[in-house]
Amino acid sequence: MIVVLIRSILLYIVVLIGLRIMGKGEIAEMNSFDLVITLLIAEVAAVPMENNNIPIVNGIAAVTGLVFMQIVISYLALKSRTVRVFLSGKPSILIEKGEINFKILKKERVTIDELLEQLRILGYFKISDVQYAILETDGNLSVLPSSSYNSTPACEFNHLPLSLIIDGQIINNNIKIINKDINWLFEVLNSNQIENVKDVLLLTIDENDKVDIQKKKI
């Protein structure tokens, strides 16, 4: 037990030093490459920690090698935009001028529900409040609000802004919440010259019962 304790402390110190050498920026803004390196460091440190038959030097050498590789590749990424784009990718514009870019959503494998959830977390309950939404390379969502956006509305909501159609699928529970029925929804579609619900990417209703429709663009 004493041997395991000592090995664990030594490996913990080595991993901690390695992460500090990698820099605060690598940990704070972790992209896919940084995540892989971090997971590998944790894995190679755990093996000699669990198995006393493996020399601790092997674990230290493996961690040192991974940290060295991280430093070299980070330096190359700092000097070369091509390397940086290859490792981290580019930011993706999910909403442009108030319209959802469905092709980019599919490319990034982000569902509309996930996009709406992230917007709500950031305080945006309506697509019309968003001028641009950008998916950064570290997975965070950056939002530029529209000029009409008011973060502290003075009036009380009749109900929360809700999605009634998402990617061609009707959300029946939300229709019930606003005390409407399916016939009302189809009347709204007909009044906007929409014959097929599958043509709707997103249909939302705000707190004042104002309907906003975004059609699918192929």
Side-chain angles (χ1 to χ4, degrees):
M1 291 180 62
I2 295 177
V3 173
V4 172
L5 177 62
I6 295 174
R7 289 165 67 95
S8 300
I9 293 174
L10 288 175
L11 287 169
Y12 168 78
I13 294 173
V14 171
V15 172
L16 183 61
I17 292 173
L19 292 176
R20 290 300 302 271
I21 292 174
M22 286 167 57
K24 295 180 180 179
E26 300 293 343
I27 299 173
E29 300 178 3
M30 189 174 293
N31 55 37
S32 55
F33 176 75
D34 299 324
L35 178 61
V36 170
I37 288 293
T38 304
L39 292 176
L40 285 175
I41 288 175
E43 182 65 23
V44 298
V47 173
M49 192 182 298
E50 297 171 350
N51 191 346
N52 291 339
N53 295 324
I54 299 177
I56 193 172
V57 177
N58 291 7
I60 295 175
V63 172
T64 303
L66 289 172
V67 171
F68 177 75
M69 185 173 68
Q70 169 70 13
I71 293 173
V72 170
I73 294 180
S74 296
Y75 177 79
L76 293 175
L78 186 65
K79 296 295 182 180
S80 171
R81 187 175 185 277
T82 303
V83 176
R84 187 163 60 250
V85 170
F86 176 76
L87 293 176
S88 303
K90 297 179 181 179
S92 300
I93 300 177
L94 304 183
I95 298 177
E96 184 174 3
K97 296 181 180 179
E99 291 192 5
I100 298 175
N101 193 326
F102 188 55
K103 291 183 179 180
I104 299 298
L105 281 181
K106 290 175 63 178
K107 179 182 176 182
E108 298 295 340
R109 295 180 177 84
V110 177
T111 66
I112 296 179
D113 292 293
E114 290 171 339
L115 174 61
L116 295 176
E117 179 183 351
Q118 288 303 310
L119 290 175
R120 288 195 297 270
I121 290 174
L122 295 174
Y124 300 90
F125 286 80
K126 297 184 291 184
I127 295 294
S128 58
D129 289 335
V130 179
Q131 188 173 175
Y132 285 91
I134 302 172
L135 182 64
E136 305 293 355
T137 57
D138 61 355
N140 288 320
L141 192 67
S142 300
V143 176
L144 176 66
S146 62
S147 57
S148 60
Y149 173 64
N150 181 9
S151 60
T152 55
C155 61
E156 291 187 3
F157 286 9
N158 295 326
H159 52 74
L160 283 174
L162 296 170
S163 302
L164 305 184
I165 299 177
I166 297 178
D167 195 11
Q169 295 185 348
I170 298 174
I171 314 300
N172 291 297
N173 288 337
N174 288 351
I175 296 176
K176 293 179 181 178
I177 290 175
I178 60 173
N179 295 319
K180 305 290 185 180
D181 56 27
I182 197 71
N183 293 326
W184 169 86
L185 181 62
F186 282 118
E187 287 178 3
V188 171
L189 294 178
N190 291 331
S191 64
N192 286 272
Q193 290 77 48
I194 300 175
E195 297 180 356
N196 193 337
V197 69
K198 297 295 183 182
D199 295 332
V200 179
L201 177 62
L202 182 66
L203 187 150
T204 59
I205 186 169
D206 68 10
E207 68 280 3
N208 296 314
D209 290 339
K210 180 183 177 181
V211 174
D212 181 70
I213 302 175
Q214 296 200 19
K215 299 178 182 179
K216 288 185 179 179
K217 293 183 178 180
I218 302 174

